[in-house]
């Protein structure tokens, strides 16, 4: 594209690795164009994780558009390695894989990202003490879960518009995976990140628009309340009147994330 002719960008490198229980997962790296295998790099991982989703794809852009992909390549040029993986319940793996989500939303997304950290630490050019994560919406939930349920595998995370408590989320987006709360109360309790607020380790930034029509701003407030009651330190950025995509201030979101990873990772 002529608009990008003046910019240096790294190509995506696709990989696969096997979990401890023998499941092959697909991932990708975006490395700096001056990548040096003798150096140790910090890693920014990205994920979404919902059953039927897919982010490791051989095409330009991600499920949230090209801005996100451009930001990943920008951060690679700032000296980070960007990494993503599709967990075992994601698209292209068949219905049996998708069915693993039923009753246990997010379980395998969390477990497979822990496996991904083990894989990353096996690479000699990765600094295993400097692994971060970011996600939006379902990925925002994953960010919060990885910093609590999966602590201390990730040092830093940014959670944008996170789904925190599925009990109050839209039925169409939840009950097809979880059943109703009356049928599966233990499943809903297990997925509720507020119940794990006391496990938070590392640096966490919560971002949300107050006008979010999809994942309500109240979710982030409830999680913030739980973190405060657990005497945990965290950071928070609120976008007044912005909807789920924070579309009016995307540039501000990505600048904030850049600064947060630069400061803490």
């Amino acid at each position: 594209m002529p608009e990008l002719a003046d910019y240096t960008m790294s190509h995506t490198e696709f990989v696969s690795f096997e979990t401890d229980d023998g499941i092959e997962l697909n991932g990708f790296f975006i490395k700096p164009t001056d990548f040096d295998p003798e150096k140790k790099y910090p890693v920014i991982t990205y994920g979404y994780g919902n059953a039927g989703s897919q982010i490791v794809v051989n095409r330009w852009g991600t499920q949230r558009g090209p801005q996100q992909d451009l930001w990943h390549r920008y951060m690679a040029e700032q000296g980070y390695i960007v990494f993503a993986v599709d967990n075992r319940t994601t698209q292209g793996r068949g219905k049996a894989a998708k069915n693993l989500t039923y009753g246990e939303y997010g379980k395998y997304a969390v477990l497979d990202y822990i496996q991904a950290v083990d894989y990353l630490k096996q690479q000699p050019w990765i600094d295993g003490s400097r692994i971060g994560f970011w996600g939006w919406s379902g990925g925002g939930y994953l960010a919060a879960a990885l910093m609590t349920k999966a602590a201390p595998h990730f040092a830093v995370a940014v959670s944008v518009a996170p789904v925190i408590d599925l009990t109050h989320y839209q039925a169409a987006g939840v009950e097809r995976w979880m059943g109703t709360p009356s049928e599966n109360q233990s499943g809903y309790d297990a997925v509720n990140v507020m119940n794990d607020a006391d496990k938070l380790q590392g640096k966490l930034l919560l971002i949300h628009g107050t006008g979010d029509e999809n994942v309500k701003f109240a979710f982030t407030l409830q999680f913030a309340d739980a973190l405060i009651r657990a005497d945990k330190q965290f950071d928070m950025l609120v976008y007044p009147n912005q909807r789920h995509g924070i579309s009016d201030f995307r540039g501000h979101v990505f600048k904030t994330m850049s600064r947060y990873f630069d400061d803490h990772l």
Side-chain angles (χ1 to χ4, degrees):
M1 295 174 63
E3 291 83 358
L4 301 178
D6 294 335
Y7 297 92
T8 302
M9 279 195 234
S10 188
H11 291 290
T12 303
E13 177 185 330
F14 294 96
V15 297
S16 62
F17 64 94
E18 194 170 285
T19 64
D20 290 343
D21 57 345
I23 303 297
E24 185 175 345
L25 301 179
N26 298 317
F28 69 67
F29 286 111
I30 301 174
K31 299 175 182 175
T33 51
D34 62 352
F35 172 73
D36 180 354
E38 300 300 318
K39 290 179 60 176
K40 293 278 191 179
Y41 291 88
V43 182
I44 297 174
T45 58
Y46 167 71
Y48 185 65
N50 287 2
S53 66
Q54 190 176 21
I55 57 174
V56 181
V57 289
N58 191 9
R59 65 168 180 255
W60 176 255
T62 61
Q63 86 272 28
R64 296 200 177 275
Q67 289 172 314
Q68 187 167 290
D69 202 21
L70 286 170
W71 181 75
H72 282 160
R73 294 170 200 282
Y74 166 78
M75 293 304 286
E77 290 309 297
Q78 306 313 304
Y80 297 91
I81 286 178
V82 176
F83 177 73
V85 63
D86 280 330
N87 71 74
R88 68 187 68 192
T89 74
T90 46
Q91 186 74 16
R93 305 180 70 91
K95 191 173 187 302
K98 204 173 183 180
N99 287 355
L100 293 171
T101 298
Y102 294 155
E104 299 180 306
Y105 175 97
K107 172 183 176 180
Y108 287 103
V110 172
L111 292 176
D112 285 344
Y113 257 96
I114 294 174
Q115 294 281 296
V117 169
D118 292 340
Y119 167 71
L120 289 172
K121 288 182 176 180
Q122 294 171 21
Q123 313 311 311
W125 29 267
I126 281 177
D127 185 344
S129 67
R130 299 171 68 196
I131 299 177
F133 183 92
W134 85 278
W136 198 306
S137 192
Y141 166 82
L142 187 52
L146 291 174
M147 296 300 286
T148 53
K149 295 174 182 294
H153 290 87
F154 292 84
V156 182
V158 179
S159 171
V160 187
V163 184
I164 296 296
D165 177 10
L166 295 183
T167 306
H168 301 297
Y169 191 52
Q170 53 181 290
V174 173
E175 291 182 6
R176 56 181 170 156
W177 307 121
M178 293 291 292
T180 65
S182 61
E183 297 169 334
N184 184 23
Q185 189 59 55
S186 62
Y188 278 83
D189 290 342
V191 78
N192 187 341
V193 186
M194 290 188 293
N195 294 332
D196 296 290
D198 61 325
K199 299 175 184 175
L200 175 68
Q201 296 187 47
K203 298 293 295 185
L204 174 64
L205 171 61
L206 303 175
I207 297 176
H208 216 133
T210 65
D212 196 325
E213 79 292 356
N214 181 352
V215 180
K216 303 304 183 184
F217 176 51
F219 288 168
T220 288
L221 291 179
Q222 289 169 334
F223 187 42
D225 181 65
L227 291 169
I228 292 166
R229 292 178 184 278
D231 197 26
K232 294 295 183 178
Q233 296 293 314
F234 64 98
D235 298 290
M236 186 170 171
L237 174 61
V238 174
Y239 286 91
N241 303 317
Q242 286 298 296
R243 299 177 68 182
H244 191 56
I246 316 181
S247 56
D248 293 340
F249 301 108
R250 274 295 182 91
H252 193 279
V253 173
F254 286 118
K255 287 177 185 176
T256 299
M257 292 200 300
S258 300
R259 173 181 55 79
Y260 202 75
F261 284 119
D262 286 345
D263 288 349
H264 301 297
L265 192 62

